[in-house]
Amino acid sequence: MSSSLADVLKISILGNESIHCGFHLLPYIFETITSTLPSSTYVLITDTNLSSLYLDDLKKAYNEAAQKNGLAEGKSRFLVYEVAPGERAKSRKVKEGIEDWMLDQKCTRDTVVLAFGGGVIGDLTGFVAATFMRGVKFVQIPTTLLAMVDSAVGGKTAIDTHHGKNLIGAFWQPSYIFVDLSFLTTLPTREVSNGMAEVVKTAAIWKDDDFALLESNSAEISLAASTKPSTSTTAGRFASDRSQEQALLLRVVSGSIYVKAHIVTIDERETGLRNLVNFGHTIGHAIEAVLTPAMLHGECVSVGIILEAEVARQLGVLSQVAVGRLTRCLQAYGLPISLSDRRITALPASSQLSVDRLLDIMKIDKKNSGPAKKIVLLSRIGKTYEEKASVVADDVIRKVLCEAATVISGTPSKSPITMATPGSKSISNRALVLAALGKGTCRVRNLLHSDDTAVMMNALVELKGAVFSWEDGGDTIVVEGGGGTLSAPAKGKELYLGNAGTASRFLTTVCAMVSSAASTEKSTIITGNARMKQRPIGPLVDALTANGAKVKYLESAGCLPLDIETDGFKGGHIKLAASVSSQYVSSILLCAPYAAEQVTLELTGGQVISQPYIDMTTSMMSQFGINVQRQSDADGKLLDVYVIPKGVYTNPTQYSVESDASSATYPLAIAAITGTTCTISNIGSSSLQGDARFAKEVLEPMGCIVEQTPTSTKVTGPPVGQLRALGNVDMEPMTDAFLTASVLAAVAAAPALPERQVEGLPATASRIYGIANQRVKECNRIKAMRDQLAKFGVETDEFDDGIIVIGQSHSSLTRGASIHCYDDHRVAMAFSVLACIIEKTIIEEKRCVEKTWPNFWDDLQNKIGINVEGVELETHKQASTSGKAVSPSDHSQAEHPIFLIGMRGAGKTYIGRLAADILGGEFTDADDVFAQETKLSVSDFVAANSWEAFRKTETEILGRFVQEKKGNHVIALGGGIVETEVARQLLSAHTKKGGLVVHVTRALEDIDGFLSSIGNTAARPSWGESFADVFKRREPWYAQSSSHEFYNVLEPVGTQTKAEHEQAMRSECERFFKFITGRASNRPRLSSETPTSFLSLTFPDITPALPNIDELTEGADAVELRVDLLNPAGTAPTTPGLPPASFVAKQLSSLRLATTLPIVFSVRSKDQGGMAPSNQPEAYQSMVELGIRSACEYVDLEVGWPTKVLESVSKAKGNSHIIASWHDWTGKMEWDGQQVRSKYALCAKYGDVTKIVGTAKTLLDNSKLSLFVEEVLAQPGAKPLLAINMGAAGQLSRALNPILTPVTHAALPSRAAPGQLTVREVLQVRSLIGLLPAKKFFLFGSPITHSASPTLHNTGFNTLGLPHIYSLHERAKVDQSVLDIIRSPDFGGASVTIPLKLDIIPHLDSVSEDVKIIGAVNTIVPQSNGKLHGENTDWQAILQAAKSNLALAPGAASSKPSALVIGAGGTCRAAIYAMYKLGIQTIYLFNRTSSNAEKVKESFPANYGIQVVDSFDAVPTAPSVVISTVPGDSLTTTSGSGEGIYLDPQHKIFSAPNGVAIDLAYKPHQTALVQIADEKQGWTAVPGVEILILQGLVQFKLWTGRTAPQGKIRKAVLNKYFGTS
């Protein structure tokens, strides 16, 4: 409908045309409101984000309309109320605040409330309108697509509570809903996609014509939604200036709204029909409940749509065609269709997506009737199975959600079976390419709807090669060919092909055809997943490049990804090696008519593989109008030479894709193995496909009855167990079918026919040959079949081009095998055949069948009659990776090596060897590999060839390393690896996919000095230029090519000795590499039960403070490095600025060597109370990202910076946690105001931890803060919150805050913020106000009079300001007094010593797994639930003593160090357990009574590697650790004394160059063992008192949750110890 202000499309709901849709409608909206809804007061409710964008325009539009309609100032008011953005605004508190404000503003019953925002604003505002003065009029002006098509339509309003979302609300219809699509252009792309999920859903249930528009015009619709018109700021307001893309967007959005409005009109209160709009929501809401707020509603519903469509498909009411269309359509709008989508798997919460959890959440869906779950089932696109949600059994849903399946063995209940298999993948892909390159329209029927064809179609659309649409409910795909005109995708857009080998080969030549005249870009990049990047494509690329094409390998030579320049297909005489894949041949054949010159294709390299597929290609080309001539010699013998005339394909009107012959082998094989009958109705002897020969050439010789006509194949199997072996069989014409033949051969217990038997092999052997190409398919299929058949106990062997399988009786095969499928569809389907007669077989990756037969499991059950059940694997309890995501990212990089780059002399080898030891892997120096392969040193190679030749070979070696699957392999690359662009691209691509490349660096002058000291070596030549010039050139390349940076400080810091520095380096390497690989976070647990804090360092140079860092950090859980306060001059900065990155890196690395506490890396800007410039976002971002690259546990991110900075840092965070912060230094922020909620929403969006700092003017501000904290933490999914007030009045808030409270220390030069307290002060305040009640701790045992434990723990309590007391309670048995103590409410914990370590166990509620193995408790820890838990800290002390003092040289881990434990008493068990945990592989156990030692050995698992020795002479290798668990006077260094066990200082047990001797005897201090170690060079002695201290430190942490002040504790204990000696 047209007006003078805008052309709008009106939609009726509940009898009123109250929904108005169009573009740029603000003048129209307010004209309509003020003229039809006159009021004394208009209240607009919006959020702070939207108000900053639109408030001025809204006020202007209102004023103009009010003036025009006689509502000038004085007659009407326009009031605005802003709330914080985000779901948290939908709360009772915010609603109450709005209502109180409206009452304060004297709003009356004629008030009109306007909701301007997304779904949150609409729901909240509608509920306010529904209840304010018993209901006032309101208007919806939705600004997000999701709100436009969903929440704004229908009158449902609500707020959330802590019980769940939308549980309190009302139905309250708006007077108008104004849908202004121009608002979408300011939304992030993700938000638009979020709404498109609802648009696609609505079309899927109701409007098939709109669905067809959505799937065929995704690019145009997305463009209109995300791009502002360049012609006019109001273009689209009128139909006359509306673009075609805008018209399309308006149609599909209004169509979606129409459906919702129509359903609401019929069923306003959601009693039946309205449930239809919940398609995808039953499962989608369950996913959302786990992943919110990280995943958006529409994203979760998108995954739910596919899963619920699969439920319908499983029930037999929906075709795979429809599932495929839904999948492609949702993907086209950037939506996830799989729980394996990286956006989901990257979330920590994704680990909670277990099938049981999802089913449990689904129980409370509003659509349910009692316990029965209801799901909206589609019957086709545009139609639901019922006009309501249908009851679906749990086992049906479970089968869809589970990632694995088990085939229930038995006889097919549908036999005799007649069925058709899906369309041939080979023919489908060829038909798509031919029709796309052809001229005219072609209707293709029976096309395979699978992953492979999906990526082919998507790629052809991206190349603008064709337009695809659908007819007959999707059974027919209509291809409008582009006649060979192609254009390169937009910059930054890659063609991602997953693991689709056919598509990758065909499209390589297609991309070379792309015309530069039709493209703005000059090349196309095609890429795939990790496996695709290993599959060869070299011969095809070689042929094309020899023909003039310009193709670059972006990673490994010979594999994807490829960068293919335009205008590259010249034609003429092309030579191609075709012995690896026939797809290379077909690729060139299909594109040959469009080459610049007529193509003569000559195949070289010996026997051509899979000739039938080449014949298939030429036959199909003929059907599209191009006749290929295969040449022959004078005798008429066909040559491997093909002549292809130039031309353009002419599309036939219709083309029917033959069913897939490879897929047909599975139902036919099931008939064979189960003794039943199956007929494939559309594959026979006339088939183009080689696999059609499977029945006659494989099954018939095995004893099956085969009847084959030109168009059908019927197989009847022999009785179960009577299959014959194949003997010799050539499967070169049908290589993909060898997997099916292999599983049949495994149970072929009858001898092969005599003429087929293989000499030298059993009569039941099947020798399959001609299948060499199967090693380079989705996986190495020959190896895969051998490995998986071995799980059944089947004997196999292999040779160059084949496999040998020895058949045996099926009854002898192992049951319960779990089959790994390698993401290979043919592996999964082949083993499902075997599972039909072998019970309890599990197929682990059931969804890999989607490559060629997406509904295979459904057809197995519904058409064949073999039941299938879902299985949730214990090793990975996560719901199914539905609808295999076609994603441009491959994230299996954790399996790949860690690369070290950096200048020569930076320490790559040293760090690399340490890292490999720590990760339990291997270390490789790439220069060594280079020397091994070239038989020359780098220096000699460069001299004999050139630097360029060296770089080329070096890069090829790198390419191979990148493809390795060894996540613990550490590889040091040459310093100049970054000199070539290809190598930089390889490394950069590796990091973008999650791979790890660490730039090892150190101070420039240190490297220069080191290199000067060694000069040029024989192995490494000189650069021929200055070191500084080389460093300057390479520095940005190192940064560009790496994911992390390790700054190497090789000199001791503080007062460290050289030995202490080496220990610190090893400790930091362990922390760094375990952190970046995700093995350990080094972060404290953040909870209100165990308050945490960090020390804020304010030194301009931390170096002088490092000797005292232990004292400074007493009681702190982390250390904050205030980067903005650092200054190389050593004085506090006086003007805003940032120190050099190299200085920061060295400061950070030095701090790391002085403390093991986690680091909070903070760059505080001037506006936020720091010294970093507030107007330099790039410099700020760069410095913050240095903290991430340096593997800091926490990185502070101020949310006041531009969104671009916040998004970039958030995306780059890796394993670091972001503390998203806002500091109000103005004193104007109110804790009960909207500004703090707005800032908190930003912090919650970008942070793992949120931090809000205000300023307290009075103590009341602390109360307001507490109420704010209580409110936000009550929200579902709330993140840890650090909320404090600055100033003296705010000090109470610091004591109350439990999450990472910033603290100071008296020795610091200044406090980081006003009101900052020390740890001691915080704890004292908490104690005084009752938050930290005094606890009593005890030592139980006897005798304990002289124990140092009270000194140890009371020193720790006093130092930190804890109000606790540790006392002795001497008892020889667990009597009533002990029981009374441990059950007392003020009991804090206890140490337990002999003789009670065993006796105490029955009185505890639980014990640790360590205790279960060791058999003794030495620590009682009360739990928060009142239960008592037993721990053993002795073994942890022994482990720490050995680990920190065992001076293993880097690389020594491979030498498999051993340990010797002396004594077989109770304490020896802790020693043995500690050595096992240390990774010691052989533990020698000596005891004077060997039988006691044998008993100890037998009580431990065999993998502990315990060897009992009856003398020290019997120890075969020198141990690195010697532990004595006998009394202190039981060992002696005096030979022949007859007193004790003689230790010879010269004995071989002390011959290791480095070692640790630990004596667990408390006294004397210097036992015989300690004396020997003290006098032995390279050895370290650990006396018993040190073990006491170490185990006590662990106890202290267990009891208090705090790190003990070990320096003061050690000093106090040693003073006590030696004072009483």
Side-chain angles (χ1 to χ4, degrees), residues 538-549:
L540 176 58
V541 172
D542 291 346
L544 291 173
T545 51
N547 189 241

Side-chain angles (χ1 to χ4, degrees), residues 1171-1288:
M1171 292 304 294
S1174 298
N1175 58 352
Q1176 297 178 17
E1178 294 84 2
Y1180 173 84
Q1181 178 181 331
S1182 177
M1183 190 59 77
V1184 170
E1185 288 180 350
L1186 173 63
I1188 294 171
R1189 285 173 52 80
S1190 301
C1192 288
E1193 291 85 350
Y1194 297 102
V1195 175
D1196 186 287
L1197 175 64
E1198 298 174 348
V1199 296
W1201 291 97
T1203 301
K1204 181 181 177 183
V1205 173
L1206 304 182
E1207 294 283 355
S1208 296
V1209 172
S1210 179
K1211 185 178 179 182
K1213 73 172 188 174
N1215 289 329
S1216 297
H1217 274 193
I1218 288 178
I1219 300 177
S1221 66
W1222 172 258
H1223 302 72
D1224 174 53
W1225 282 78
T1226 66
K1228 296 177 182 178
M1229 185 185 77
E1230 298 289 342
W1231 287 102
D1232 55 359
Q1234 287 304 313
Q1235 184 191 24
V1236 68
R1237 286 169 174 77
S1238 176
K1239 297 302 180 186
Y1240 174 77
L1242 271 177
C1243 290
K1245 179 178 181 180
Y1246 293 107
D1248 300 285
V1249 179
T1250 55
K1251 179 184 181 185
I1252 306 284
V1253 180
T1255 302
K1257 303 180 188 69
T1258 68
L1259 288 176
L1260 182 60
D1261 288 323
N1262 297 322
S1263 300
K1264 291 179 179 179
L1265 181 154
S1266 295
L1267 290 172
F1268 170 78
V1269 170
E1270 183 180 359
E1271 174 194 335
V1272 299
L1273 292 184
Q1275 299 295 329
K1279 294 177 177 177
L1281 170 61
L1282 189 177
I1284 55 174
N1285 277 322
M1286 292 183 287

Side-chain angles (χ1 to χ4, degrees), residues 1352-1353 1410 1418-1419 1421 1431-1440 1587-1604 1606 1609:
L1352 188 157
H1353 290 293
D1410 313 320
N1418 81 329
T1419 307
V1421 185
E1431 284 281 358
N1432 186 297
T1433 61
D1434 288 333
W1435 78 268
Q1436 297 180 64
I1438 298 167
L1439 175 67
Q1440 178 62 27
I1587 296 297
L1588 170 80
I1589 293 169
L1590 290 174
Q1591 66 83 32
L1593 298 177
V1594 179
Q1595 287 179 331
F1596 191 94
K1597 181 85 172 182
L1598 287 171
W1599 290 333
T1600 68
R1602 299 187 170 278
T1603 301
Q1606 60 175 298
I1609 284 176

Side-chain angles (χ1 to χ4, degrees), residues 1282-1299:
L1282 189 177
I1284 55 174
N1285 277 322
M1286 292 183 287
Q1291 288 182 320
L1292 178 61
S1293 71
R1294 294 178 181 272
L1296 294 173
N1297 174 65
I1299 305 297

Side-chain angles (χ1 to χ4, degrees), residues 1290-1350:
Q1291 288 182 320
L1292 178 61
S1293 71
R1294 294 178 181 272
L1296 294 173
N1297 174 65
I1299 305 297
L1300 292 176
T1301 302
V1303 295
T1304 187
H1305 192 279
L1308 290 176
S1310 63
R1311 295 173 186 245
Q1316 212 170 58
L1317 302 171
T1318 65
V1319 170
R1320 183 179 177 83
E1321 289 168 338
V1322 168
L1323 294 177
Q1324 286 174 333
V1325 173
R1326 290 182 69 83
S1327 175
L1328 289 170
I1329 63 177
L1331 289 178
L1332 183 60
K1335 295 288 184 181
K1336 294 179 180 177
F1337 296 81
F1338 295 89
L1339 171 62
F1340 300 140
S1342 181
I1344 57 174
T1345 306
H1346 300 295
S1347 171
S1349 290

Side-chain angles (χ1 to χ4, degrees), residues 752-830:
L753 293 169
E755 66 274 15
R756 302 176 69 100
Q757 290 184 17
V758 184
E759 186 179 348
L761 292 177
T764 59
S766 296
R767 182 180 182 275
I768 301 168
Y769 61 94
I771 58 170
N773 69 327
Q774 293 294 302
R775 296 187 188 276
V776 291
K777 290 286 187 175
E778 282 78 350
C779 65
N780 180 341
R781 286 177 172 168
I782 294 174
K783 184 177 188 302
M785 293 305 292
R786 293 195 64 200
D787 290 346
Q788 301 311 306
L789 284 171
K791 294 178 179 179
F792 295 89
V794 176
E795 184 183 349
T796 63
D797 201 351
E798 64 182 280
F799 49 99
D800 284 350
D801 73 336
I803 186 172
I804 296 168
V805 181
I806 310 299
Q808 60 193 71
S809 169
H810 71 279
S811 62
S812 67
L813 265 59
T814 303
R815 268 58 180 166
S818 187
I819 303 304
H820 176 56
C821 300
Y822 309 89
D823 196 26
D824 190 329
H825 53 134
R826 305 233 176 265
V827 174
M829 290 187 278

Side-chain angles (χ1 to χ4, degrees), residues 285-328:
H285 273 162
I287 296 167
E288 186 179 6
V290 177
L291 300 182
T292 189
M295 293 303 291
L296 304 177
H297 170 76
E299 294 168 336
C300 297
V301 167
S302 176
V303 177
I305 285 172
I306 299 304
L307 290 170
E308 291 184 19
E310 290 179 350
V311 168
R313 186 187 68 193
Q314 183 190 151
L315 292 171
V317 300
L318 185 67
S319 71
Q320 170 54 28
V321 171
V323 178
R325 292 179 70 193
L326 283 166
T327 300
R328 282 188 294 276

Side-chain angles (χ1 to χ4, degrees), residues 1054-1167:
T1055 57
Q1056 286 177 343
T1057 64
K1058 184 179 179 183
E1060 288 170 338
H1061 176 261
E1062 288 176 357
Q1063 290 178 6
M1065 279 296 295
R1066 185 174 184 88
S1067 175
E1068 169 52 12
C1069 278
E1070 180 170 1
R1071 183 211 66 84
F1072 182 93
F1073 285 97
K1074 286 188 174 179
F1075 182 84
I1076 67 174
T1077 56
R1079 302 185 187 197
S1081 73
N1082 196 41
R1083 283 186 286 266
R1085 178 175 173 267
L1086 303 183
S1087 74
S1088 57
E1089 290 82 23
T1090 54
T1092 48
S1093 64
F1094 62 75
L1095 176 76
S1096 300
L1097 292 179
T1098 55
F1099 296 101
D1101 181 350
I1102 65 168
T1103 307
L1106 295 179
N1108 305 313
I1109 199 70
D1110 284 343
E1111 181 179 352
L1112 291 172
T1113 58
E1114 285 173 349
D1117 301 280
V1119 183
E1120 181 185 39
L1121 182 64
R1122 279 289 301 273
V1123 174
D1124 56 296
L1125 299 181
L1126 295 176
N1127 183 1
T1131 57
T1134 56
T1135 58
L1138 283 172
S1142 58
F1143 178 71
V1144 175
K1146 187 168 184 177
Q1147 291 273 295
L1148 175 61
S1149 185
S1150 299
L1151 180 60
R1152 285 289 192 195
L1153 295 179
T1155 179
T1156 58
L1157 289 175
I1159 301 292
V1160 179
F1161 190 90
S1162 297
V1163 186
R1164 189 70 61 238
S1165 67
K1166 183 70 175 173
D1167 290 349

